[in-house]
Short mmCIF file of all heavy atoms in Angstrom, two decimals:
data_model
loop_
_atom_site.label_atom_id
_atom_site.label_comp_id
_atom_site.label_asym_id
_atom_site.label_seq_id
_atom_site.Cartn_x
_atom_site.Cartn_y
_atom_site.Cartn_z
N MET O 1 217.80 48.72 145.21
CA MET O 1 218.80 48.24 146.17
C MET O 1 218.07 47.67 147.35
O MET O 1 217.13 48.31 147.93
CB MET O 1 219.77 49.35 146.55
CG MET O 1 220.89 48.91 147.35
SD MET O 1 222.05 50.23 147.88
CE MET O 1 222.78 50.76 146.36
N THR O 2 218.50 46.51 147.81
CA THR O 2 217.85 45.88 148.96
C THR O 2 218.35 46.56 150.18
O THR O 2 219.35 47.22 150.26
CB THR O 2 218.21 44.36 149.02
OG1 THR O 2 219.56 44.20 149.27
CG2 THR O 2 217.77 43.65 147.76
N LYS O 3 217.55 46.20 151.31
CA LYS O 3 217.89 46.85 152.60
C LYS O 3 219.27 46.34 153.04
O LYS O 3 220.03 47.11 153.58
CB LYS O 3 216.85 46.46 153.57
CG LYS O 3 216.95 47.10 154.99
CD LYS O 3 215.82 46.72 155.82
CE LYS O 3 216.00 47.39 157.22
NZ LYS O 3 214.98 47.03 158.15
N GLU O 4 219.59 45.15 152.80
CA GLU O 4 220.87 44.50 153.21
C GLU O 4 222.04 45.20 152.50
O GLU O 4 223.04 45.57 153.07
CB GLU O 4 220.84 43.03 152.94
CG GLU O 4 219.95 42.19 153.86
CD GLU O 4 218.58 42.23 153.36
OE1 GLU O 4 218.31 42.37 152.15
OE2 GLU O 4 217.68 42.02 154.13
N LYS O 5 221.81 45.51 151.20
CA LYS O 5 222.90 46.13 150.41
C LYS O 5 223.07 47.55 150.90
O LYS O 5 224.18 48.14 151.02
CB LYS O 5 222.61 46.11 148.99
CG LYS O 5 222.76 44.71 148.33
CD LYS O 5 222.56 44.70 146.83
CE LYS O 5 222.77 43.39 146.25
NZ LYS O 5 222.58 43.41 144.76
N LYS O 6 221.95 48.31 151.21
CA LYS O 6 222.07 49.67 151.71
C LYS O 6 222.77 49.75 153.06
O LYS O 6 223.63 50.63 153.22
CB LYS O 6 220.66 50.23 151.90
CG LYS O 6 220.06 50.78 150.66
CD LYS O 6 218.70 51.44 150.99
CE LYS O 6 218.11 51.99 149.69
NZ LYS O 6 216.84 52.66 149.98
N GLU O 7 222.59 48.79 153.85
CA GLU O 7 223.25 48.71 155.24
C GLU O 7 224.67 48.41 155.16
O GLU O 7 225.41 48.64 156.10
CB GLU O 7 222.44 47.74 156.13
CG GLU O 7 221.07 48.21 156.55
CD GLU O 7 220.33 47.25 157.32
OE1 GLU O 7 220.72 46.10 157.47
OE2 GLU O 7 219.15 47.60 157.73
N ALA O 8 225.17 47.89 154.00
CA ALA O 8 226.56 47.53 153.85
C ALA O 8 227.41 48.83 153.64
O ALA O 8 228.60 48.69 153.89
CB ALA O 8 226.79 46.55 152.71
N TYR O 9 226.77 49.85 153.27
CA TYR O 9 227.56 51.14 153.05
C TYR O 9 227.78 51.90 154.28
O TYR O 9 226.91 52.09 155.15
CB TYR O 9 226.75 52.03 152.01
CG TYR O 9 226.81 51.56 150.60
CD1 TYR O 9 225.95 50.59 150.13
CD2 TYR O 9 227.79 51.98 149.70
CE1 TYR O 9 225.98 50.12 148.85
CE2 TYR O 9 227.90 51.53 148.44
CZ TYR O 9 226.95 50.58 148.04
OH TYR O 9 227.03 50.11 146.76
N GLU O 10 228.96 52.54 154.44
CA GLU O 10 229.30 53.33 155.55
C GLU O 10 228.96 54.75 155.17
O GLU O 10 228.72 55.07 154.00
CB GLU O 10 230.82 53.22 155.84
CG GLU O 10 231.21 51.85 156.37
CD GLU O 10 232.77 51.79 156.64
OE1 GLU O 10 233.20 52.67 157.37
OE2 GLU O 10 233.41 50.93 156.11
N THR O 11 228.96 55.67 156.18
CA THR O 11 228.59 57.03 155.91
C THR O 11 229.80 57.77 155.43
O THR O 11 230.93 57.34 155.49
CB THR O 11 228.09 57.69 157.21
OG1 THR O 11 229.18 57.73 158.15
CG2 THR O 11 226.87 56.92 157.79
N HIS O 12 229.54 58.98 154.91
CA HIS O 12 230.63 59.94 154.39
C HIS O 12 231.47 60.28 155.56
O HIS O 12 232.72 60.57 155.41
CB HIS O 12 230.04 61.05 153.73
CG HIS O 12 229.30 61.96 154.71
ND1 HIS O 12 227.95 61.68 155.03
CD2 HIS O 12 229.64 63.11 155.39
CE1 HIS O 12 227.53 62.64 155.81
NE2 HIS O 12 228.47 63.50 156.09
N ALA O 13 230.95 60.18 156.75
CA ALA O 13 231.84 60.60 157.95
C ALA O 13 232.92 59.56 158.24
O ALA O 13 234.02 59.94 158.62
CB ALA O 13 230.92 60.64 159.20
N SER O 14 232.74 58.29 157.86
CA SER O 14 233.73 57.24 157.95
C SER O 14 234.88 57.56 156.99
O SER O 14 236.03 57.45 157.26
CB SER O 14 233.15 55.88 157.69
OG SER O 14 232.15 55.58 158.54
N LEU O 15 234.52 58.00 155.78
CA LEU O 15 235.57 58.34 154.83
C LEU O 15 236.34 59.61 155.22
O LEU O 15 237.49 59.61 155.07
CB LEU O 15 234.88 58.47 153.43
CG LEU O 15 235.84 58.75 152.26
CD1 LEU O 15 236.89 57.64 152.07
CD2 LEU O 15 235.00 58.84 150.95
N ARG O 16 235.57 60.54 155.69
CA ARG O 16 236.22 61.79 156.20
C ARG O 16 237.21 61.49 157.29
O ARG O 16 238.30 62.05 157.28
CB ARG O 16 235.16 62.77 156.70
CG ARG O 16 235.75 64.09 157.15
CD ARG O 16 234.74 65.10 157.60
NE ARG O 16 234.10 65.63 156.34
CZ ARG O 16 232.76 65.66 156.23
NH1 ARG O 16 231.95 65.29 157.18
NH2 ARG O 16 232.22 66.09 155.09
N LYS O 17 236.89 60.58 158.17
CA LYS O 17 237.77 60.13 159.25
C LYS O 17 239.13 59.60 158.77
O LYS O 17 240.15 59.84 159.28
CB LYS O 17 237.10 59.07 160.12
CG LYS O 17 237.53 59.01 161.55
CD LYS O 17 236.55 58.12 162.21
CE LYS O 17 236.68 58.18 163.78
NZ LYS O 17 235.82 57.24 164.53
N ILE O 18 239.06 58.77 157.68
CA ILE O 18 240.18 58.27 157.05
C ILE O 18 241.08 59.34 156.55
O ILE O 18 242.23 59.36 156.65
CB ILE O 18 239.77 57.19 155.94
CG1 ILE O 18 239.12 55.96 156.56
CG2 ILE O 18 241.03 56.77 155.10
CD1 ILE O 18 238.46 55.03 155.55
N ILE O 19 240.43 60.29 155.78
CA ILE O 19 241.14 61.30 155.15
C ILE O 19 241.82 62.22 156.19
O ILE O 19 242.96 62.64 156.07
CB ILE O 19 240.29 62.18 154.15
CG1 ILE O 19 239.90 61.25 152.98
CG2 ILE O 19 240.95 63.41 153.68
CD1 ILE O 19 238.88 61.76 152.12
N VAL O 20 241.14 62.58 157.31
CA VAL O 20 241.65 63.30 158.37
C VAL O 20 242.84 62.68 159.05
O VAL O 20 243.86 63.27 159.41
CB VAL O 20 240.61 63.73 159.40
CG1 VAL O 20 241.15 64.29 160.63
CG2 VAL O 20 239.57 64.66 158.84
N GLY O 21 242.84 61.32 159.06
CA GLY O 21 243.89 60.57 159.57
C GLY O 21 245.21 60.66 158.71
O GLY O 21 246.29 60.33 159.12
N LEU O 22 245.02 61.18 157.48
CA LEU O 22 246.27 61.40 156.58
C LEU O 22 246.86 62.76 156.75
O LEU O 22 247.88 63.06 156.13
CB LEU O 22 245.79 61.26 155.10
CG LEU O 22 245.24 59.89 154.72
CD1 LEU O 22 244.74 59.93 153.29
CD2 LEU O 22 246.38 58.80 154.86
N LYS O 23 246.34 63.55 157.65
CA LYS O 23 246.82 64.93 157.90
C LYS O 23 248.34 64.99 158.03
O LYS O 23 248.93 64.25 158.84
CB LYS O 23 246.14 65.55 159.07
CG LYS O 23 246.46 67.02 159.19
CD LYS O 23 245.67 67.65 160.31
CE LYS O 23 245.96 69.08 160.36
NZ LYS O 23 245.16 69.85 161.27
N GLY O 24 248.97 65.82 157.23
CA GLY O 24 250.42 66.08 157.39
C GLY O 24 251.22 65.10 156.45
O GLY O 24 252.44 65.35 156.27
N ARG O 25 250.57 64.09 155.93
CA ARG O 25 251.29 63.08 155.11
C ARG O 25 251.41 63.66 153.67
O ARG O 25 250.49 64.28 153.19
CB ARG O 25 250.63 61.74 155.14
CG ARG O 25 250.79 61.12 156.45
CD ARG O 25 250.32 59.72 156.49
NE ARG O 25 251.06 58.83 155.65
CZ ARG O 25 250.77 57.62 155.47
NH1 ARG O 25 249.70 57.04 155.90
NH2 ARG O 25 251.47 56.83 154.62
N LYS O 26 252.47 63.36 152.98
CA LYS O 26 252.68 63.83 151.68
C LYS O 26 252.76 62.68 150.73
O LYS O 26 253.38 61.65 150.97
CB LYS O 26 254.08 64.62 151.60
CG LYS O 26 254.16 65.79 152.49
CD LYS O 26 255.48 66.35 152.64
CE LYS O 26 255.51 67.49 153.64
NZ LYS O 26 255.09 68.84 153.15
N PHE O 27 252.18 62.92 149.47
CA PHE O 27 252.08 61.77 148.47
C PHE O 27 252.34 62.32 147.08
O PHE O 27 251.95 63.45 146.75
CB PHE O 27 250.64 61.21 148.51
CG PHE O 27 250.27 60.50 149.75
CD1 PHE O 27 249.56 61.13 150.74
CD2 PHE O 27 250.59 59.15 149.95
CE1 PHE O 27 249.22 60.52 151.94
CE2 PHE O 27 250.33 58.46 151.15
CZ PHE O 27 249.62 59.17 152.15
N LYS O 28 253.00 61.47 146.26
CA LYS O 28 253.16 61.79 144.86
C LYS O 28 251.94 61.10 144.18
O LYS O 28 251.75 59.92 144.43
CB LYS O 28 254.46 61.32 144.36
CG LYS O 28 254.70 61.64 142.91
CD LYS O 28 256.10 61.28 142.49
CE LYS O 28 256.37 61.69 141.05
NZ LYS O 28 257.64 61.17 140.60
N LEU O 29 251.14 61.81 143.32
CA LEU O 29 249.98 61.27 142.81
C LEU O 29 250.34 60.54 141.48
O LEU O 29 251.41 60.66 140.94
CB LEU O 29 249.00 62.38 142.52
CG LEU O 29 248.60 63.20 143.80
CD1 LEU O 29 247.73 64.40 143.38
CD2 LEU O 29 247.91 62.27 144.80
N SER O 30 249.31 59.89 140.89
CA SER O 30 249.54 59.12 139.70
C SER O 30 249.84 60.07 138.51
O SER O 30 250.57 59.68 137.55
CB SER O 30 248.12 58.39 139.30
OG SER O 30 247.80 57.50 140.29
N CYS O 31 249.45 61.30 138.58
CA CYS O 31 249.70 62.27 137.49
C CYS O 31 251.02 62.89 137.62
O CYS O 31 251.47 63.65 136.78
CB CYS O 31 248.63 63.36 137.50
SG CYS O 31 248.57 64.39 139.05
N GLY O 32 251.76 62.62 138.72
CA GLY O 32 253.16 63.18 138.89
C GLY O 32 253.17 64.35 139.84
O GLY O 32 254.21 64.79 140.29
N HIS O 33 252.00 64.97 140.14
CA HIS O 33 251.89 66.10 141.08
C HIS O 33 251.92 65.64 142.48
O HIS O 33 251.94 64.43 142.73
CB HIS O 33 250.75 66.94 140.74
CG HIS O 33 250.75 67.67 139.47
ND1 HIS O 33 249.97 67.35 138.41
CD2 HIS O 33 251.58 68.63 139.05
CE1 HIS O 33 250.27 68.13 137.32
NE2 HIS O 33 251.24 68.91 137.70
N HIS O 34 252.02 66.52 143.40
CA HIS O 34 252.11 66.17 144.81
C HIS O 34 250.92 66.74 145.59
O HIS O 34 250.28 67.76 145.25
CB HIS O 34 253.39 66.78 145.43
CG HIS O 34 254.64 66.24 144.74
ND1 HIS O 34 255.15 66.77 143.58
CD2 HIS O 34 255.40 65.15 145.07
CE1 HIS O 34 256.21 66.08 143.23
NE2 HIS O 34 256.39 65.11 144.18
N VAL O 35 250.61 66.11 146.74
CA VAL O 35 249.58 66.54 147.69
C VAL O 35 250.02 66.32 149.07
O VAL O 35 250.71 65.38 149.46
CB VAL O 35 248.17 65.83 147.38
CG1 VAL O 35 248.32 64.35 147.72
CG2 VAL O 35 247.09 66.45 148.12
N THR O 36 249.65 67.34 149.98
CA THR O 36 249.86 67.21 151.35
C THR O 36 248.45 67.35 151.95
O THR O 36 247.77 68.35 151.80
CB THR O 36 250.79 68.32 151.88
OG1 THR O 36 252.01 68.22 151.21
CG2 THR O 36 251.02 68.23 153.40
N PHE O 37 248.04 66.32 152.68
CA PHE O 37 246.75 66.34 153.33
C PHE O 37 246.65 67.25 154.50
O PHE O 37 247.58 67.30 155.31
CB PHE O 37 246.30 64.93 153.67
CG PHE O 37 245.82 64.14 152.48
CD1 PHE O 37 246.67 63.35 151.81
CD2 PHE O 37 244.56 64.28 152.03
CE1 PHE O 37 246.37 62.56 150.77
CE2 PHE O 37 244.15 63.53 150.94
CZ PHE O 37 245.03 62.68 150.31
N GLY O 38 245.59 68.02 154.64
CA GLY O 38 245.38 68.83 155.82
C GLY O 38 246.06 70.20 155.70
O GLY O 38 246.08 71.01 156.59
N TYR O 39 246.69 70.50 154.57
CA TYR O 39 247.45 71.73 154.37
C TYR O 39 246.42 72.64 153.65
O TYR O 39 245.84 72.32 152.59
CB TYR O 39 248.73 71.50 153.56
CG TYR O 39 249.51 72.69 153.31
CD1 TYR O 39 250.17 73.35 154.33
CD2 TYR O 39 249.66 73.21 152.00
CE1 TYR O 39 250.91 74.52 154.07
CE2 TYR O 39 250.45 74.30 151.74
CZ TYR O 39 251.07 74.97 152.77
OH TYR O 39 251.83 76.10 152.52
N SER O 40 246.27 73.90 154.15
CA SER O 40 245.24 74.84 153.58
C SER O 40 245.44 75.21 152.14
O SER O 40 244.55 75.44 151.48
CB SER O 40 245.26 76.10 154.40
OG SER O 40 246.47 76.77 154.35
N LEU O 41 246.68 75.14 151.64
CA LEU O 41 246.89 75.44 150.22
C LEU O 41 247.26 74.18 149.39
O LEU O 41 247.85 74.28 148.37
CB LEU O 41 248.03 76.43 150.06
CG LEU O 41 247.77 77.84 150.68
CD1 LEU O 41 248.99 78.73 150.60
CD2 LEU O 41 246.54 78.50 150.07
N GLY O 42 246.87 73.09 149.91
CA GLY O 42 247.16 71.74 149.27
C GLY O 42 246.29 71.52 147.99
O GLY O 42 245.22 72.18 147.85
N ASN O 43 246.67 70.63 147.20
CA ASN O 43 245.90 70.33 145.94
C ASN O 43 244.68 69.47 146.33
O ASN O 43 244.73 68.77 147.34
CB ASN O 43 246.77 69.44 145.03
CG ASN O 43 247.89 70.22 144.40
OD1 ASN O 43 247.86 71.39 144.40
ND2 ASN O 43 248.89 69.52 143.93
N ASN O 44 243.68 69.64 145.55
CA ASN O 44 242.52 68.77 145.65
C ASN O 44 242.77 67.58 144.79
O ASN O 44 243.59 67.68 143.81
CB ASN O 44 241.23 69.49 145.12
CG ASN O 44 240.83 70.62 146.06
OD1 ASN O 44 240.93 70.45 147.23
ND2 ASN O 44 240.33 71.68 145.49
N ILE O 45 242.18 66.41 145.18
CA ILE O 45 242.43 65.24 144.37
C ILE O 45 241.15 64.69 143.77
O ILE O 45 240.09 64.94 144.27
CB ILE O 45 243.15 64.21 145.26
CG1 ILE O 45 242.34 63.77 146.41
CG2 ILE O 45 244.55 64.62 145.67
CD1 ILE O 45 242.80 62.56 147.18
N HIS O 46 241.30 63.87 142.79
CA HIS O 46 240.25 63.18 142.14
C HIS O 46 240.56 61.60 142.14
O HIS O 46 241.68 61.28 141.74
CB HIS O 46 240.16 63.68 140.69
CG HIS O 46 239.08 62.94 139.89
ND1 HIS O 46 237.85 63.30 139.84
CD2 HIS O 46 239.29 61.84 139.11
CE1 HIS O 46 237.17 62.48 139.01
NE2 HIS O 46 238.04 61.53 138.54
N ILE O 47 239.72 60.89 142.57
CA ILE O 47 239.89 59.44 142.70
C ILE O 47 238.95 58.70 141.77
O ILE O 47 237.72 58.84 141.86
CB ILE O 47 239.67 58.92 144.13
CG1 ILE O 47 240.56 59.60 145.09
CG2 ILE O 47 239.88 57.38 144.21
CD1 ILE O 47 240.19 59.26 146.65
N SER O 48 239.53 58.03 140.78
CA SER O 48 238.75 57.21 139.86
C SER O 48 238.75 55.72 140.35
O SER O 48 239.77 55.10 140.43
CB SER O 48 239.38 57.24 138.44
OG SER O 48 239.33 58.54 137.91
N ASN O 49 237.59 55.38 140.78
CA ASN O 49 237.43 54.05 141.43
C ASN O 49 237.54 52.95 140.39
O ASN O 49 237.22 53.19 139.22
CB ASN O 49 236.14 53.99 142.13
CG ASN O 49 235.95 52.80 143.15
OD1 ASN O 49 237.00 52.17 143.41
ND2 ASN O 49 234.79 52.55 143.53
N GLY O 50 238.01 51.79 140.75
CA GLY O 50 238.12 50.62 139.87
C GLY O 50 239.05 49.58 140.35
O GLY O 50 239.55 49.69 141.53
N LYS O 51 239.44 48.66 139.57
CA LYS O 51 240.42 47.66 139.97
C LYS O 51 241.69 48.27 140.41
O LYS O 51 242.31 47.75 141.36
CB LYS O 51 240.67 46.65 138.74
CG LYS O 51 240.06 45.27 138.95
CD LYS O 51 240.56 44.46 137.83
CE LYS O 51 239.84 43.06 138.02
NZ LYS O 51 240.10 42.12 136.94
N ARG O 52 242.19 49.19 139.66
CA ARG O 52 243.47 49.95 139.96
C ARG O 52 243.07 51.42 139.97
O ARG O 52 243.18 52.11 138.95
CB ARG O 52 244.44 49.59 138.85
CG ARG O 52 245.83 50.20 139.19
CD ARG O 52 246.92 49.67 138.31
NE ARG O 52 248.10 50.40 138.05
CZ ARG O 52 248.84 50.99 138.93
NH1 ARG O 52 248.45 51.04 140.18
NH2 ARG O 52 249.96 51.63 138.60
N PRO O 53 242.74 51.90 141.18
CA PRO O 53 242.29 53.33 141.29
C PRO O 53 243.38 54.27 140.82
O PRO O 53 244.54 54.06 141.10
CB PRO O 53 242.00 53.47 142.74
CG PRO O 53 241.81 52.09 143.24
CD PRO O 53 242.63 51.24 142.47
N GLU O 54 242.95 55.31 140.10
CA GLU O 54 243.81 56.45 139.71
C GLU O 54 243.56 57.54 140.71
O GLU O 54 242.38 57.94 140.94
CB GLU O 54 243.48 56.85 138.29
CG GLU O 54 243.98 55.85 137.23
CD GLU O 54 245.44 56.03 136.98
OE1 GLU O 54 245.94 57.14 136.96
OE2 GLU O 54 246.14 54.98 136.84
N ILE O 55 244.63 58.19 141.23
CA ILE O 55 244.48 59.28 142.10
C ILE O 55 245.30 60.43 141.51
O ILE O 55 246.54 60.30 141.48
CB ILE O 55 244.94 58.89 143.55
CG1 ILE O 55 244.19 57.73 144.04
CG2 ILE O 55 244.75 60.08 144.48
CD1 ILE O 55 244.72 57.12 145.37
N ILE O 56 244.55 61.44 141.00
CA ILE O 56 245.26 62.51 140.33
C ILE O 56 244.73 63.90 140.95
O ILE O 56 243.80 63.93 141.70
CB ILE O 56 244.95 62.50 138.80
CG1 ILE O 56 243.49 62.58 138.49
CG2 ILE O 56 245.57 61.29 138.18
CD1 ILE O 56 243.15 62.62 137.08
N CYS O 57 245.46 64.90 140.63
CA CYS O 57 245.10 66.25 141.13
C CYS O 57 243.88 66.74 140.32
O CYS O 57 243.68 66.28 139.20
CB CYS O 57 246.21 67.24 141.04
SG CYS O 57 246.78 67.64 139.38
N SER O 58 243.18 67.71 140.83
CA SER O 58 242.03 68.22 140.20
C SER O 58 242.37 68.88 138.91
O SER O 58 241.53 68.91 137.93
CB SER O 58 241.23 69.13 141.09
OG SER O 58 242.04 70.22 141.48
N CYS O 59 243.51 69.52 138.76
CA CYS O 59 243.90 70.16 137.54
C CYS O 59 244.03 69.13 136.41
O CYS O 59 243.61 69.40 135.26
CB CYS O 59 245.22 70.91 137.63
SG CYS O 59 245.12 72.30 138.78
N CYS O 60 244.59 67.96 136.63
CA CYS O 60 244.76 66.92 135.66
C CYS O 60 243.49 66.17 135.32
O CYS O 60 243.51 65.38 134.40
CB CYS O 60 245.91 66.01 136.03
SG CYS O 60 247.49 66.82 136.09
N SER O 61 242.50 66.28 136.26
CA SER O 61 241.25 65.50 136.02
C SER O 61 240.39 66.07 134.89
O SER O 61 239.49 65.34 134.51
CB SER O 61 240.48 65.37 137.33
OG SER O 61 239.91 66.64 137.69
N TYR O 62 240.66 67.30 134.44
CA TYR O 62 239.80 67.82 133.40
C TYR O 62 240.35 67.55 132.03
O TYR O 62 241.36 67.48 131.69
CB TYR O 62 239.72 69.29 133.56
CG TYR O 62 238.98 69.71 134.83
CD1 TYR O 62 239.57 70.23 136.01
CD2 TYR O 62 237.59 69.37 134.99
CE1 TYR O 62 238.88 70.46 137.18
CE2 TYR O 62 236.94 69.66 136.19
CZ TYR O 62 237.54 70.20 137.23
OH TYR O 62 236.85 70.45 138.41
#
């Protein structure tokens, strides 16, 4: 990977900031289950990257 390509990537802290900004919001996932961000007993999610990302709970990702 070239230096320019490496510099195009943001850090994990940037992604964490986006997720923290979702705190308290509730979503229905692609698998049909639900998630509430920032809730201590909330579901973990799995994101499959691609043209049309799939966002499912960790239970359905196996």
